Amino acid sequence: MALCDIGITGLSTMGGNLARNAAHKGFGVAVHNRSRFRTDDLIRDHGGEGRFVPAYDIPEFVAAIARPRPILIMVKAGKPVDDVIDEIAEHLDPGDILIDGGNSLFGDTQRRGKALEARGLKFIGMGVSGGEEGALEGPSMMPGGDPDAYARVQPIFEKMAAQVDGVPCCTYIGTDGAGHYVKMVHNGIEYADMQLIAEAYDLMRSVYGLDAARMADIFAGWKTGDLDSYLIEITAAVLRKVDASTGKPLVDLILDEAEQKGTGRWTAQNALELGVPITAITEAVFARVISSFKDERVAASHELGGAKPSTLAPEDAALASIRDALYASKIIAYAQGFEQMAKAATQYNWALDLGKIATIWRGGCIIRAKFLDRIKEAYADGWGEKNLLLAPYFRDGVARCDDAWRRVVALAVQNGIAVPAFASSLAYYDGYRRERTPANLLQGLRDYFGAHTYKRIDKPGSYHVRWAQDGEEIKTSD
């Protein structure tokens, strides 16, 4: 029997569907799972879809793959990845390739790559986005690590990836942890995008009294315009779903506690380290945290006073304002994410091609959206590291939505509706476009209590006031 083109270990939903995807594209796939039943289930249910070679121990698994062996690991991030790497690596030959396709922290990927390089093995950390459906039909794939290793798997991954306008949604991202870093930021943008949609839903439900069916129609309508995206599409689908046992909209029966796997939090933490203000993403993370305080929120709802929602007539103009606020805030979230990647490229010495990243996010991934074409075009026009807000398409789009955006945030505040992503996006926009901020006072205060010095606008150098002494200003450096 001919040796397989690739091996995949870890056959839960994502791993199993990626194995089927590769087989559908004509590749031979060696499949393995620690729990034998998953391997048996895959072969029983889908063995006729392509050439699979089941393996039930690591030596058998490794022996079934053509050299240099590419092995895709699809297990939970963290220690399980290290455990699988340690288990497989001792059976590999120099030049063989291990690929982590999970949501690993990019720092772990950097560490693993160095350790495996010392053993003569190659390593790829690859972000995969698209969920269950994308893994099977074609995801967005973000591989980073050893470039020679990527050359070996490039023909496989480019065929497995989603295709948009004949272009695969897969490209080499950069060295060491770059692939997992870009996937992390992708997920951060996803957090913000989802939170913005949730805030639009909350306003329509709480202030305008719309039911799920009506909101489903509204979101479906929004998909035909500038907001065209996968998340808008599935929002309409979720809102339209009716619970079979009660006849009520399913969304009304889902507990209001949003879970998270950590990638959004990692994005916010890293942005703080880089000094990048990703306000929309960070507020989306905090919103999920607050949602988890269900018992406290129920108690507080009876104890704390404040504005209450009033039911207003859902006029078309009011709903259009929510749409515009959502669109403007979405632009902010993407601009912040791309700014973070630009800063990371400098910090970690990665040659990130932001235009290519926008290109591979146009299909397969969760945040795929119509205006990623516009981001791709901006970078094709030589946008470099400049903030996307300054690109004409996005500058003009935000300007068009400005009045509606402010009305919606004010409406939410007046009615006691929390819109942290809408409001923080607007605050970022207003802060970014201010020629002069109140940071001059902040620096004066810092100098008063900590002698941190300050610069002046009318002459060069750094200065300090001897506040607690004679109050005299002194020059501390030229």
Side-chain angles (χ1 to χ4, degrees):
M1 179 183 291
L3 293 175
C4 293
D5 300 290
I6 190 170
I8 298 180
T9 182
L11 301 177
S12 58
T13 301
M14 288 293 290
N17 278 358
L18 286 170
R20 293 173 61 198
N21 180 338
H24 294 170
K25 301 303 190 299
F27 299 107
V29 187
V31 291
H32 168 267
N33 196 84
R34 280 189 173 183
S35 301
R36 179 184 178 119
F37 79 89
R38 290 195 185 277
T39 307
D40 289 338
D41 287 350
L42 178 67
I43 299 303
R44 182 192 68 234
D45 297 337
H46 306 289
E49 297 178 3
R51 186 164 72 90
F52 295 103
V53 176
Y56 297 99
D57 60 41
I58 296 300
E60 179 186 12
F61 176 56
V62 169
I65 308 166
R67 298 178 180 174
R69 305 177 180 94
I71 296 176
L72 176 59
I73 300 168
M74 294 300 299
V75 300
K76 186 177 180 180
K79 188 175 183 299
V81 177
D82 289 315
D83 291 343
V84 172
I85 287 174
D86 290 342
E87 184 179 9
I88 296 177
E90 63 183 72
H91 298 279
L92 300 180
D93 297 317
D96 285 346
I97 305 161
L98 286 170
I99 307 154
D100 174 15
N103 276 331
S104 290
L105 182 62
F106 75 98
D108 289 341
T109 301
Q110 292 172 316
R111 168 180 58 80
R112 290 164 183 150
K114 291 178 181 177
L116 288 169
E117 183 181 14
R119 300 174 66 170
L121 301 174
K122 298 183 182 298
F123 188 59
I124 291 174
M126 181 172 68
V128 180
S129 178
E132 178 179 354
E133 178 183 356
L136 181 61
E137 302 297 335
S140 176
M141 308 174 84
M142 295 154 261
D146 189 301
D148 293 334
Y150 178 66
R152 165 73 173 86
V153 297
Q154 181 177 357
I156 301 174
F157 289 162
E158 287 190 350
K159 280 192 175 182
M160 291 175 63
Q163 311 288 316
V164 177
D165 300 330
V167 178
C169 293
C170 175
T171 191
Y172 178 70
I173 300 296
T175 56
D176 55 70
H180 274 140
Y181 186 93
V182 167
K183 175 55 163 51
M184 177 190 77
V185 175
H186 165 284
N187 284 23
I189 295 172
E190 177 186 311
Y191 272 54
D193 214 342
M194 293 173 67
Q195 177 62 28
L196 291 166
I197 290 170
E199 291 175 12
Y201 154 81
D202 195 11
L203 286 167
M204 288 190 285
R205 178 179 61 99
S206 300
V207 177
Y208 294 109
L210 300 184
D211 61 21
R214 175 73 191 283
M215 287 186 283
D217 291 340
I218 291 170
F219 278 103
W222 289 354
K223 188 183 181 301
T224 63
D226 289 336
L227 280 171
D228 183 8
S229 70
Y230 173 71
L231 283 171
I232 292 291
E233 176 185 338
I234 67 172
T235 298
V238 170
L239 290 168
R240 231 183 274 286
K241 177 68 175 176
V242 175
D243 177 58
S245 62
T246 64
K248 297 178 179 179
L250 178 62
V251 70
D252 293 342
L253 301 174
I254 296 176
L255 181 66
D256 56 323
E257 291 185 9
E259 299 177 356
Q260 54 181 313
K261 292 185 176 179
T263 47
R265 183 177 68 251
W266 296 344
T267 308
Q269 290 170 336
N270 177 257
L272 288 171
E273 293 173 1
L274 294 178
V276 181
I278 55 165
T279 56
I281 294 170
T282 303
E283 288 293 351
V285 175
F286 288 151
R288 293 198 188 190
V289 174
I290 290 176
S291 80
S292 70
F293 301 161
K294 177 64 176 180
D295 292 341
E296 292 181 49
R297 289 190 290 108
V298 170
S301 70
H302 300 293
E303 297 291 334
L304 300 180
K308 300 290 185 183
S310 55
T311 303
L312 304 177
E315 298 176 356
D316 290 345
L319 300 179
S321 291
I322 296 176
R323 178 200 62 208
D324 289 348
L326 175 57
Y327 182 62
S329 299
K330 182 184 179 80
I331 290 173
I332 297 295
Y334 280 72
Q336 290 176 349
F338 275 84
E339 182 180 18
Q340 181 171 355
M341 289 189 290
K343 291 290 179 65
T346 300
Q347 179 70 24
Y348 305 119
N349 196 30
W350 293 328
L352 298 185
D353 187 326
L354 300 180
K356 284 187 176 180
I357 291 169
T359 299
I360 67 169
W361 284 355
R362 295 180 304 156
C365 72
I366 302 301
I367 66 169
R368 59 186 184 266
K370 180 179 180 180
F371 77 3
L372 280 161
D373 278 317
R374 299 295 190 175
I375 296 177
K376 175 180 74 73
E377 291 165 5
Y379 288 114
D381 290 341
W383 203 244
E385 295 184 4
K386 291 187 289 185
N387 193 311
L388 281 171
L389 278 176
L390 300 173
Y393 176 83
F394 299 108
R395 178 199 64 207
D396 296 345
V398 172
R400 172 175 56 81
C401 298
D402 186 84
D403 288 344
W405 197 7
R406 296 179 192 282
R407 286 196 302 271
V408 168
V409 171
L411 175 74
V413 172
Q414 290 164 357
N415 285 273
I417 304 296
V419 287
F422 277 168
S424 65
S425 297
L426 180 57
Y428 169 86
Y429 178 69
D430 283 341
Y432 188 70
R433 68 187 185 88
R434 286 287 299 279
E435 182 177 351
R436 184 168 172 81
T437 74
N440 52 325
L441 176 59
L442 296 179
Q443 198 61 21
L445 295 170
R446 293 182 75 244
D447 186 63
Y448 191 108
F449 65 71
H452 293 293
T453 74
Y454 54 87
K455 295 179 180 178
R456 296 176 58 113
I457 63 174
D458 56 348
K459 50 188 176 181
S462 295
Y463 296 84
H464 166 61
V465 171
R466 294 192 292 233
W467 300 96
Q469 301 168 31
D470 55 13
E472 181 181 353
E473 180 186 65
I474 59 173
K475 189 173 185 180
T476 60
S477 67
D478 293 328

